[in-house]
Amino acid sequence: MSTFKAPKGTYDLTPPDSAIYLAVREAIAAPLKRSGYGYIETPGFEQVELFSRGVGESTDIVSKEMYTLTTRGGDELALRPEGTASVLRAALEANLHKAGNLPVKLWYSGSYYRYERPQAGRYRHFSQVGAEAIGTEDPALDAELIILAVDAYRSLGLKDFRLLLNSLGDKECRPAYREALQGFLRGLDLDEDTRRRIEINPLRVLDDKREAVQKQLVGAPMLRDHLCEACKAYHEEVRALLTAAGVAFVDDEKLVRGLDYYTRTTFEFVHGGLGSQSAVGGGGRYDGLSEMIGGPALPSVGWALGVDRTVLALKAEGIELDLPAATRVYAVPLGEEARKVVFGLVTELRRAGVATDFAFGGKGLKNAMKSANRSGARFALVAGERDLAEGVVQLKDLESGEQTGVALDAVVRELLAKQG
Ligand code: HAM
C-alpha cells in the first residue's frame, strides 16, 4: 500500500469489478443511442453561478455540497455537482437549439462531485449517465425518456425498482400553491432550519424524512389539487403514454426532488435493495432553466441515472452480468526463439479481434499456466522450439484440459472459428 488513500467518500474502480461499471454505463446509453440522442461532454467544472442560479441557492446541493475553488485568475469555479445545468449551458453556447431541429436530444456520462456525508450508496465522487431533451414541450418526450430509463434497467435484468411520478406544476399554478402551503406550514411546530426552509422553498418541507415532521404534514395542501388545467392535462397524457407502453408507476404527490429547476413532470426510480439511499435515478421537466441561466425560453426534460447505485442494485438482486472474458487466449512461449514467434502471433490474433494476452517477464511453464488460469482465458497457446520446428503450436482448452497441435498458419482461423 502507498502512503496515500482514495479521499474520503470516494473509491477506485479496479478490475475485475470495473468491467461491471463500464457495462452498466453502456447498458444505460444503449436505448438513448437508438432514440436520436447525441453524445455530449462538458468540462468537470463550471462557473459557480451556473449552479447557484440553475440548481438553486437554497438547495442542499448548492448551499452545502459544492466543491468550489478560486483560480489564480480569480474565477469562482465549482466541480460539477450534476449535469443538467452544464449540458444546457453547452447547448446554448453551441447554438444547438438554433439548428432548426428541436428537441435537441443529448446524452452524457461522467463524474459528479458533492460534498455529502458519505455512507453506503452516497459518495462524494460518483458517476451518472444522463439524458436531456431540450426545446420542446410535449408529454410524449417526457414519456420517451422515462421509457428509455425503464428499458435500460430492464436490459440489465433489474426487477426490484419502482418509478415514482409527480407533477410540480408550472409558473401559472405553483405560486398560489406555494402560498397555500406556506400558510399551512407556518402554523406547525418546527425547528429553526425548517422554518427558514418554509420561506425559501416550502415544497422541500414535504420531502422531510423525519417522522415528527411527517406526522404534522397530514392534511397539508397538495399540489395535485392546485394544478392548473394545462398542467393537469399534460400530466394525464404522460401517465397515459406510460401505461400504454407497459410502464408501471406510483403517483407520489410528495415527490419534490432536491433541485429547484423542476416544473411539471418529476420522477424518481427507487430500488428496494438499497436501504436509505434508494434513488437509483431521477429527473423531470425544467421549462424555466434556460431563462434562469440567460437563454431563451426552452422547455426541456431529462434524467440522470446513478451508475454506482445501479451497480449496488445489481448486487442486491444477485444479478451477474454476462460480461465477455477480458482474455480469451493466453500465449505462453517456451524459450527465446519461441518468444518472438509467439509474440508475433499474439499481435496477429489481437488484430483479428481475439482478446489475447502474453506471458510477460519470461515466466517458466508452471507459472505461466497459473497466470493463464487466473486470466480467465479459455485457451492457452503454448509453443516451444520443437513445436515451431514442426510448424505447430499447442492449443490447450483450459476448461476441458484437451490439448491439440494446430498449424502455425491456421492458428488465427482456428481461434476465430472457436469464437463463433
Ligand atoms: P439527482 O437526483 O440529484 O438528479 O441525481 C441523479 C442520480 O444520481 C440519483 O438518483 C443517484 O442515483 C445518483 N446520485 C446523486 N448523488 C449521489 C451520491 N452522492 N452518491 C452516489 N450517487 C448519487 C440530477 O442530478 C439531475 N441532474 C437529473 C436530471 C437530469 N434532471 C433533469 N435532467
Side-chain angles (χ1 to χ4, degrees), residues 61 81-84 108 114 116 121-128 131-132 257 259 261-262 268-269 279-284 286 301-309:
I61 293 179
E82 64 104 43
T84 309
Y108 51 95
R114 295 183 193 174
E116 300 205 69
R122 187 162 74 189
Y123 311 106
R124 291 181 172 174
H125 164 257
F126 57 97
S127 104
Q128 292 183 340
E132 314 291 349
R257 311 247 321 118
L259 306 96
Y261 48 60
Y262 291 114
E268 209 154 81
F269 293 96
V280 283
Y286 48 94
V301 57
W303 51 242
L305 311 190
V307 175
D308 311 73
R309 289 188 196 167

Side-chain angles (χ1 to χ4, degrees), residues 29-344:
L32 298 166
K33 288 188 203 165
R34 54 175 183 258
S35 308
Y37 289 75
Y39 179 65
I40 185 167
E41 211 169 296
T42 64
F45 48 79
E46 297 274 354
Q47 277 175 276
V48 171
E49 223 190 316
L50 173 69
F51 301 115
S52 46
R53 276 211 245 162
V55 177
E57 205 81 64
S58 74
T59 59
D60 282 355
I61 293 179
V62 168
S63 65
K64 299 185 192 154
E65 296 171 0
M66 265 201 309
Y67 283 89
T68 53
L69 61 112
T70 309
T71 65
R72 285 172 208 271
D75 293 330
E76 300 282 337
L77 301 178
L79 299 188
R80 58 184 182 189
E82 64 104 43
T84 309
S86 311
V87 166
L88 187 54
R89 194 263 314 133
L92 290 170
E93 194 172 329
N95 281 322
L96 299 184
H97 59 297
K98 289 188 183 156
N101 196 15
L102 294 177
V104 177
K105 295 208 238 175
L106 301 166
W107 76 272
Y108 51 95
S109 172
S111 292
Y112 297 87
Y113 307 86
R114 295 183 193 174
Y115 189 76
E116 300 205 69
R117 203 163 41 76
Q119 64 180 88
R122 187 162 74 189
Y123 311 106
R124 291 181 172 174
H125 164 257
F126 57 97
S127 104
Q128 292 183 340
V129 175
E132 314 291 349
I134 298 165
T136 304
E137 186 188 287
D138 182 343
L141 198 54
D142 307 38
E144 166 177 289
L145 274 160
I146 293 173
I147 292 164
L148 295 176
V150 170
D151 286 354
Y153 289 138
R154 285 187 187 163
S155 76
L156 285 164
L158 288 169
K159 293 202 169 66
D160 188 14
F161 65 90
R162 283 180 312 145
L163 163 62
L164 311 179
L165 186 67
N166 194 19
S167 171
L168 288 181
D170 63 5
K171 57 180 187 296
E172 299 305 316
C173 52
R174 195 150 72 195
Y177 168 70
R178 194 173 183 271
E179 259 177 49
L181 182 63
Q182 280 175 323
F184 174 88
L185 294 173
R186 284 185 195 123
L188 304 183
D189 177 22
L190 297 166
D191 59 275
E192 244 341 275
D193 260 4
T194 315
R195 301 199 77 80
R196 215 170 301 127
R197 190 168 296 155
I198 295 174
E199 305 313 319
I200 308 168
N201 192 349
L203 271 75
R204 292 283 296 155
V205 180
L206 294 179
D207 208 22
D208 200 309
K209 301 280 181 287
R210 291 171 298 180
E211 206 179 311
V213 177
Q214 279 301 326
K215 260 191 203 150
Q216 297 189 65
L217 291 177
V218 178
M222 281 294 146
L223 186 50
R224 185 190 47 195
D225 306 318
H226 289 74
L227 288 182
C228 59
E229 285 310 314
C231 283
K232 249 190 241 169
Y234 194 95
H235 197 55
E236 277 318 309
E237 194 171 335
V238 174
R239 293 174 81 254
L241 288 167
L242 291 178
T243 305
V247 169
F249 54 86
V250 179
D251 290 308
D252 182 353
E253 51 189 340
K254 285 189 182 159
L255 180 72
V256 176
R257 311 247 321 118
L259 306 96
D260 276 355
Y261 48 60
Y262 291 114
T263 52
R264 292 195 167 169
T265 314
T266 44
F267 53 90
E268 209 154 81
F269 293 96
V270 292
H271 191 272
L274 297 191
S276 64
Q277 303 305 310
S278 61
V280 283
R285 190 153 266 289
Y286 48 94
D287 293 341
L289 180 56
S290 174
E291 286 149 297
M292 277 191 260
I293 62 169
L298 282 173
S300 307
V301 57
W303 51 242
L305 311 190
V307 175
D308 311 73
R309 289 188 196 167
T310 305
V311 172
L312 290 175
L314 289 171
K315 286 193 184 136
E317 288 198 42
I319 297 170
E320 293 212 7
L321 298 180
D322 189 15
L323 301 174
T327 303
R328 174 94 176 145
V329 177
Y330 193 90
V332 180
L334 303 174
E336 254 329 288
E337 271 312 299
R339 229 172 106 80
K340 292 196 191 82
V341 178
V342 172
F343 189 73

